[in-house]
Amino acid sequence: MPSEILATYFSTIVLIHNKVTKGIFSHHIFNKLYFIKITSDKCKTIRVFFGNFPIYITIIVSLKTSMKNEILKFHAALLCCLLCTILAGCSDNDDNKVKAPEEDASQFVVLTDVVPDAILEIRYYSTYNFIGRRIPGYDEPIAILTRQAADSLKKVSDDLIKQGYRLKIFDGYRPQKAVDYFMAWAKDVNDTLMKPYFYPELDKSVLVPQDYIAEKSGHTRGSTIDLTLFDMKLEKEVDMGCTYDYFGLASHPDVLPRQEVGAYKPINQEQYDNRMILQKAMVAHGFKPYDCEWWHFTLANEPFPNTYFTFPIARKSIVDAQ
């Protein structure tokens, strides 16, 4: 583009209209900035599309035709380059956008990628749970854990396989939205669909006061696992004395305070011994038990002790975070 044309016709006006932001931006030449409302029929406007962005280029029609065409071509090329830069920057910003800590799944793994011998029965993906419905946040029937918890569980699995057992997994990481759903369900005292199976001894109104359900869960921090033992010789779960997620005395893992084994009426000696096989293996590899649930263990040195994660249970959550 000849420099004399730019010097002579520096008052050419170029406007960009972006429908996404509904904003009007003016372009300037030689530092002379114009904000002009184009209403005159002496102005000529053309529209071209750059992706989804309509670009309106307006020039003064009183210029000589050859001059107008040259200026029009120049500005169209200039604006395309400008938009390329802007759009590329927006794309980079989207790709590199820093997620909130609770949305970041980058330190998590799909459990069976690390512990392929594990058997899965993800109860909250099914309707066989204490609520009787699939739980929000469980988009796939998989278990997710922090990398540290999964690595430790692999050691547990290896030890128990030598003893003739495999791990059967009921739950791992649990999104906060699932915990919120539990709390909402607990407030509806009339919804007792699964009471005969999971809390026959208790009135539903006591589940929150007695800490069977809470507003925050260790599962949401990503290093807590619910599991049992599967006996490879008998080809079935071992007898633990009560089902997973049972709300009641039988869910407590060992004897009551100041009582001898045998005085613990809800379970017999064999069931107690089975619980201790699981507990011993878990503790040996860095997990700590929970005194109200025989199936519940948390990595003692959990990496996120104060973060309650929100991303859904799906392999996509892990892949997208890489």
Side-chain angles (χ1 to χ4, degrees):
M1 179 66 189
S3 59
E4 61 270 16
I5 294 179
L6 289 178
T8 304
Y9 300 101
F10 65 91
S11 59
T12 300
I13 307 303
V14 180
L15 299 177
I16 305 173
H17 180 67
N18 180 343
K19 285 187 176 180
V20 176
T21 61
K22 298 186 184 301
I24 301 293
F25 306 91
S26 68
H27 182 66
H28 67 88
I29 300 176
F30 295 122
N31 298 320
K32 190 165 184 179
L33 185 62
Y34 293 83
F35 295 89
I36 298 178
K37 184 177 180 182
I38 303 300
T39 57
S40 172
D41 58 5
K42 292 183 179 181
C43 294
K44 181 178 180 180
T45 302
I46 68 166
R47 180 177 64 174
V48 296
F49 281 89
F50 188 83
N52 293 324
F53 292 86
I55 304 169
Y56 295 84
I57 303 175
T58 304
I59 65 172
I60 307 300
V61 298
S62 60
L63 300 175
K64 293 180 180 180
T65 300
S66 60
M67 298 295 187
K68 289 187 295 184
N69 290 339
E70 289 295 323
I71 292 173
L72 188 59
K73 291 177 183 177
F74 171 80
H75 282 292
L78 181 64
L79 289 172
C80 284
C81 291
L82 177 63
L83 282 177
C84 281
T85 303
I86 294 172
L87 294 177
C90 291
S91 177
D92 289 342
N93 287 338
D94 288 341
D95 293 341
N96 298 323
K97 182 180 178 182
V98 177
K99 292 184 177 180
E102 64 274 12
E103 298 174 347
D104 185 6
S106 62
Q107 302 304 308
F108 286 73
V109 296
V110 175
L111 177 60
T112 48
D113 289 348
V114 180
V115 190
D117 298 316
I119 300 169
L120 300 184
E121 186 181 324
I122 307 303
R123 291 281 185 90
Y124 298 141
Y125 184 78
S126 75
T127 61
Y128 181 52
N129 54 60
F130 65 87
I131 290 180
R133 294 183 291 276
R134 180 177 292 178
I135 306 304
Y138 286 77
D139 294 357
E140 295 179 23
I142 61 175
I144 290 175
L145 282 180
T146 61
R147 164 63 71 176
Q148 294 90 331
D151 288 344
S152 293
L153 198 66
K154 177 65 166 67
K155 297 175 183 177
V156 176
S157 177
D158 291 346
D159 279 358
L160 288 170
I161 284 177
K162 296 174 184 177
Q163 301 176 50
Y165 301 105
R166 289 204 181 198
L167 297 177
K168 185 172 187 179
I169 311 300
F170 297 121
D171 195 25
Y173 158 69
R174 182 183 304 163
Q176 183 60 45
K177 70 186 298 184
V179 178
D180 295 342
Y181 188 79
F182 291 169
M183 287 297 297
W185 170 83
K187 293 176 182 178
D188 183 1
V189 294
N190 296 316
D191 185 353
T192 57
L193 176 65
M194 303 301 281
K195 178 177 172 60
Y197 311 103
F198 292 96
Y199 50 105
E201 306 168 34
L202 300 176
D203 187 273
K204 184 179 177 180
S205 63
V206 307
L207 297 183
V208 173
Q210 294 188 16
D211 294 328
Y212 288 106
I213 298 175
E215 292 182 349
K216 296 293 184 181
S217 169
H219 284 277
T220 309
R221 301 193 299 265
S223 295
T224 294
I225 188 83
D226 291 344
L227 73 175
T228 190
L229 297 177
F230 186 91
D231 190 314
M232 294 299 293
K233 184 177 181 179
L234 299 178
E235 298 183 348
K236 64 179 183 180
E237 289 181 33
V238 302
D239 184 2
M240 294 293 194
C242 71
T243 188
Y244 162 66
D245 256 0
Y246 186 83
F247 299 153
L249 185 61
S251 66
H252 293 243
D254 50 22
V255 298
L256 297 178
R258 296 179 298 280
Q259 289 187 335
E260 299 293 332
V261 174
Y264 186 46
K265 299 300 183 183
I267 62 173
N268 59 37
Q269 185 67 50
E270 180 184 2
Q271 294 163 344
Y272 172 83
D273 290 343
N274 288 337
R275 294 182 179 190
M276 292 304 105
I277 292 171
L278 176 60
Q279 186 176 115
K280 181 180 178 180
M282 294 294 287
V283 170
H285 294 289
F287 290 90
K288 57 184 180 182
Y290 177 45
D291 61 6
C292 292
E293 297 173 350
W294 59 259
W295 56 81
H296 179 115
F297 297 87
T298 299
L299 189 67
N301 294 319
E302 58 181 310
F304 304 105
N306 301 306
T307 305
Y308 294 85
F309 291 90
T310 60
F311 59 86
I313 297 175
R315 185 173 287 274
K316 187 176 185 296
S317 297
I318 307 298
V319 172
D320 288 352
Q322 303 308 312

